[in-house]
Amino acid sequence: MTPPPKNKKAAKTPTVEQQIRRRTLSSFSVFFFSLTIGGLLFYKLYNQPQSADNVQPVLRKGLNANERIFSRLFSQKRNARSFKKKDAVAHVRVNGGVGMDGTLDTATWRLRIARKPGDTLQLTLSELMALPKTEVVFDFKCVEGWSQVTWWGGVRFSDFMAKYGLTPQMAARYVGMETPDGDYYVGNDMPSMLQPQTLLCYEMNGKPLPQDQGAPLRLIIPVKYGIKHLKRIGVIFFSSERPKDYWAEQGYDYYAGL
Ligand SMILES: Nc1nc2c(c(=O)[nH]1)N[C@H]1C(S)=C(S)[C@@H](COP(=O)(O)O)O[C@H]1N2
Ligand SMILES: [Mo]
């Protein structure tokens, strides 16, 4: 049996003109309604008192939430995976030679630590080597896409800070580093610098650090990509603002975390 044709409904179907009129009307209502709500919201945001750092409170709330999430993530996977010394490659790739012109004379070299403006501590390599030595074997990752398991030795940055009474400086948000000629420079956040695998490094594969790998002293910071592991450290300073950063200036992520 075929059902009877639905004549009633067909009769009620509006004409094409009516349909168009209705749709136009409802589109306009939605448009004006959205415009009003948007306007009201904008007015409300615009007239909100600004916070101390000049950021709208709603935005500030979002930023604070981001920071909480990321710092929690950071503390969870704080340690870079470590490997055994036998897993480390014998021939470590050399990459990047900015700020490394000529041969550096370790005997006359000094690590300069700008404690405060006009107060710079100068240390020899022997003084640094007198501090407790820590070794780390980890997967060194470069943003160019290669990685290799490498073995490094030196003094933990956190040990160095404690031994030299740099506890007030630990309150700074950032640590800046530069090569002696100032041609290569990086900034790292203090939590990553104080992470227990971060080294002021003077040894590789159990031997003195080679020239092209940053002798006499380089940074090893396993929670970051290679760009942050400054070779041939000349100066270290502390700052509440992001220190200038060679690769960040070229558009790479400033944090460069792993
Ligand atoms: N002074 C200086 N340090 C530097 C660089 C550089 O060009 N100059 N390149 C960085 C980059 S991109 C990487 S991947 C690592 C490479 O370290 P390696 O040569 O010991 O493998 O050093 C980092 N430190
Ligand atoms: Mo790199």
Side-chain angles (χ1 to χ4, degrees), residues 159-228:
D159 287 349
F160 158 77
M161 293 288 278
K163 292 277 176 182
Y164 277 93
L166 298 167
T167 1
Q169 282 78 1
M170 285 187 199
R173 280 170 89 101
Y174 296 98
V175 177
M177 292 186 172
E178 291 178 13
T179 52
D181 64 7
D183 283 356
Y184 196 82
Y185 37 86
V186 299
N188 280 300
D189 56 286
M190 188 63 83
S192 302
M193 286 299 294
L194 296 178
Q195 196 270 347
Q197 293 167 302
T198 300
L199 308 180
L200 294 178
C201 160
Y202 50 78
E203 271 183 18
M204 191 187 80
N205 290 344
K207 295 186 205 82
L209 196 63
Q211 278 285 330
D212 50 10
Q213 244 118 10
L217 194 72
R218 76 173 298 168
L219 181 65
I220 285 294
I221 182 161
V223 294
K224 303 278 187 186
Y225 275 104
I227 46 176
K228 294 287 189 179

Side-chain angles (χ1 to χ4, degrees), residues 95-96 140-146 184 225-228 247:
N95 204 58
F140 191 111
K141 296 190 177 88
C142 172
V143 289
E144 287 164 15
W146 54 268
Y184 196 82
Y225 275 104
I227 46 176
K228 294 287 189 179
W247 285 108

Side-chain angles (χ1 to χ4, degrees), residues 7-27:
N7 285 333
K8 263 189 185 172
K9 208 176 173 191
K12 270 193 182 169
T13 305
T15 62
V16 173
E17 289 75 33
Q18 278 175 322
Q19 278 184 6
I20 290 174
R21 247 191 89 219
R22 259 182 226 172
R23 279 192 200 163
T24 313
L25 257 173
S26 68
S27 297

Side-chain angles (χ1 to χ4, degrees), residues 110 122-131 164:
R110 297 288 179 276
Q122 300 218 15
L123 298 174
T124 62
L125 184 61
S126 327
E127 285 169 309
L128 290 162
M129 289 178 76
L131 299 173
Y164 277 93

